Amino acid sequence: MDNSMDNMQVCETTCIHEDIVNRVKDKLPDDETIYKLSEFFKVFGDKTRVKIVSALIDSEMCVCDIAYLLNMSQSAISHQLRVLKNSNLVKNRKEGKVVYYSLDDEHVKDIIAQGIVHITHKGRGE
Amino acid sequence: MDNSMDNMQVCETTCIHEDIVNRVKDKLPDDETIYKLSEFFKVFGDKTRVKIVSALIDSEMCVCDIAYLLNMSQSAISHQLRVLKNSNLVKNRKEGKVVYYSLDDEHVKDIIAQGIVHITHKGRGE
DNA sequence: TTTATATATGAACACATATTCATATATTCA
DNA sequence: TGAATATATGAATATGTGTTCATATATAAA
């Protein structure tokens, strides 16, 4: 893992600001945190999942409701709900044959809201 | 676009809660907003980009600094910086041959912070 | 102008991923 | 038990994406 840079074209030059790099390196989150962060945001990086989450902000719904609402197949929704569940973003409860999904994280609303702030502030030229 | 559901295996059944679906449908953000949201979060859905952004929270840096800090090739970093720039998350200034990158969005810090809140709260079983 | 350096970029490749299709599982009802 | 329904899931496929490699561009220095 360390000799992977042996023949890589990286700037082995004088342009590196070692003081800055060293200072930043100390503050940078560890690799596991970075990985978890990117995996977390990756979940929101899909239209279908953002729709599902946005919908569940308003109300608990069953798989069939969501498929109908989003005009998508039951299978596709089910697969995505599993992704959301694995990320602890939604939970479910079973009532007979029907499985109801709802949000399992208080910050989901805030995350979406903050995303909206960004895209509305940056939409048309700075 | 409307007849795409003609032979799709969606629940054309009685389990749909029409009242809930209709109410949620009205509140759901429009398709363009959903798309922009997912594209926005997709940017944070990559380890390298999260690292770059986290690093830039602390200090402006040149491409070479970032490549050295993250132990990655200059080309890989340059490609990712373009993605971040296209998303209006970073800006750059040129000083001779050196290009310095810095954050271009006040909420980036908040987004990362909120992500950390989630992964630390949900890490070890609820 | 020639050389060196810092960055940008297009193409290719390897890998990840979202949806579909077929089917399995679980539950209710007759 | 058997039929119907709601959901879950594995495999396959198509599409997206991150890095590498080679190279182009831009700037500075000799």
Side-chain angles (χ1 to χ4, degrees), chain A residues 5 8 10-11 15-17 27 40 42 45 58 64-65 71-73 100 104-105 110 114 118 122, chain B residues 5 8 10-11 15-17 27 40 42 45 58 64-65 71-73 100 104-105 110 114 118 122:
Chain A
M5 295 283 296
M8 189 192 296
V10 82
C11 329
C15 92
I16 295 174
H17 307 71
K27 289 190 183 179
F40 173 63
K42 198 174 289 181
D58 289 323
C64 198
D65 287 339
N71 206 34
M72 291 179 64
S73 75
Y100 292 93
D104 189 27
D105 192 307
D110 301 331
Q114 215 152 13
H118 175 86
K122 288 286 183 173
Chain B
M5 298 283 296
M8 190 192 298
V10 82
C11 329
C15 92
I16 295 174
H17 307 70
K27 288 190 182 179
F40 174 63
K42 198 172 289 180
D58 290 322
C64 198
D65 286 340
N71 206 34
M72 291 179 64
S73 74
Y100 292 92
D104 190 27
D105 192 307
D110 302 331
Q114 214 152 14
H118 175 86
K122 288 285 183 173

Side-chain angles (χ1 to χ4, degrees), chain A residues 59-116:
Chain A
S59 172
E60 169 191 77
M61 282 190 291
C62 72
V63 178
C64 198
D65 287 339
I66 301 172
Y68 179 74
L69 170 68
L70 304 189
N71 206 34
M72 291 179 64
S73 75
Q74 174 269 320
S75 180
I77 299 300
S78 194
H79 277 295
Q80 297 298 4
L81 283 169
R82 185 173 46 163
V83 174
L84 291 168
K85 191 151 189 293
N86 287 342
S87 306
N88 295 312
L89 291 173
V90 306
K91 59 178 185 268
N92 57 14
R93 68 182 178 86
K94 204 165 184 177
E95 198 170 285
K97 288 174 297 189
V98 182
V99 179
Y100 292 93
Y101 282 83
S102 58
L103 293 187
D104 189 27
D105 192 307
E106 332 83 58
H107 339 105
V108 170
K109 237 177 292 192
D110 301 331
I111 296 274
I112 295 288
Q114 215 152 13
I116 289 182

